Structures are given as structure tokens and as C-alpha cells.
Amino acid sequence: MKIGIYPGSFDPVTNGHLDIIERATKLCDKVIVAVSCNPNKNPLFTLEERVQLIKEVIKPYSNIEVDTFTGLLVDYAKEKKASMLIRGLRAVSDFEYEFQMALMNRKLNPEVETIFLMTSSKNSYLSSSLVKEVARLGGCIEGLVPEVIKKAITDKL
């Protein structure tokens, strides 16, 4: 079974994330959306809320699991018997950081490959941080996140 892990903070999950998740389901028998617990970030949603929101929006897919992890991603991948890490790229600016991480992950565990998926052009400017900033300032986030996420952001703010 080909297992792929799509890691991230997903605070909140956006339509850009969902684009990558959907496309990853075509490459893998199973996709694990792995929500990271990063103590250096100040998330809007708790870890549990992020997991629940992702579970809500991935209901149409039968080959997706949502989980959380801490520590090294390659250790988590080994634990889950995953052979690939899936990373989304929006622009060239994402590539330098992601390339560096992919090389480090390969050094730590050469059996796990990193697969880069370019987001669709309609989502290339989209980030969780930008969605939260626009929402905090009273802007419209329609079409940037699924409706259930939009409601959760509105309720939280």
C-alpha cells in the first residue's frame, strides 16, 4: 500500500490545502493529513479543532486519515509506514525552504521521498495566515476556505 503524508499546521485548512489533498489521493492508496503541533506558532484554532475541521471537509474521501504528530516528520513517516511526503508549492518563494527540508528529510531517511505538488493558479496566493488576517480585518474570505471553515473562523473571531 502506498501511503503519503501531507503535513502542515492547517490553521485553518484552505481551498489550496484541499486542492493538494484531493490530488494526493490520486497518487496514494492512503493519504494521512498530519496536523503538526508546533509550539513556536500561535494558532487561531487548537490542535483538536484543526483536526475536527479537516475531518469535516474531507468526508467525501474514503482514503484519507487525519492525525497529529510532534517531532521529526521522517520518524512519524516511518511509524506510519509512509513512503512519501507531500508538499504543496504556491510560488518560487516556497521552493527554497521546501527543497532544503526535502534534502534534510532524505538525509534522515532515504526511504521516504518528498513529492512537490504545485497548487492550482487560482490558489497560488492563498495561505492560512492571509485568510486569518483578512478575516480579522473584516474582509471577505468567501471562496478561500470551505463554508464550514469560514463559519468556524467567524465564530472564533
Side-chain angles (χ1 to χ4, degrees), residues 19 35 44 60 83 121:
D19 173 49
V35 184
L44 177 63
S83 60
S121 58

Side-chain angles (χ1 to χ4, degrees), residues 60-130:
Y61 303 95
S62 60
N63 63 335
I64 301 175
E65 173 186 320
V66 183
D67 196 12
T68 62
F69 78 99
T70 57
L72 291 173
L73 181 57
V74 290
D75 291 343
Y76 178 74
K78 186 175 183 178
E79 174 190 324
K80 292 295 187 175
K81 298 177 177 35
S83 60
M84 68 177 86
L85 304 176
I86 298 151
R87 300 298 295 165
L89 296 175
R90 294 170 292 199
V92 175
S93 57
D94 288 342
F95 182 75
E96 188 173 345
Y97 171 78
E98 292 294 345
F99 183 66
Q100 185 179 22
M101 290 301 297
L103 292 175
M104 179 56 78
N105 286 334
R106 183 182 299 154
K107 180 190 180 313
L108 294 171
N109 186 346
E111 294 178 19
V112 177
E113 287 294 336
T114 300
I115 308 297
F116 295 111
L117 295 177
M118 295 300 301
T119 191
S120 68
S121 58
K122 69 181 180 181
N123 295 316
S124 63
Y125 64 93
L126 195 50
S127 71
S128 296
S129 299
L130 190 55

Side-chain angles (χ1 to χ4, degrees), residues 1 25 28-31 58-66:
M1 175 182 272
T25 64
C28 307
D29 299 311
K30 178 180 179 180
V31 174
I58 57 120
K59 280 182 181 176
Y61 303 95
S62 60
N63 63 335
I64 301 175
E65 173 186 320
V66 183

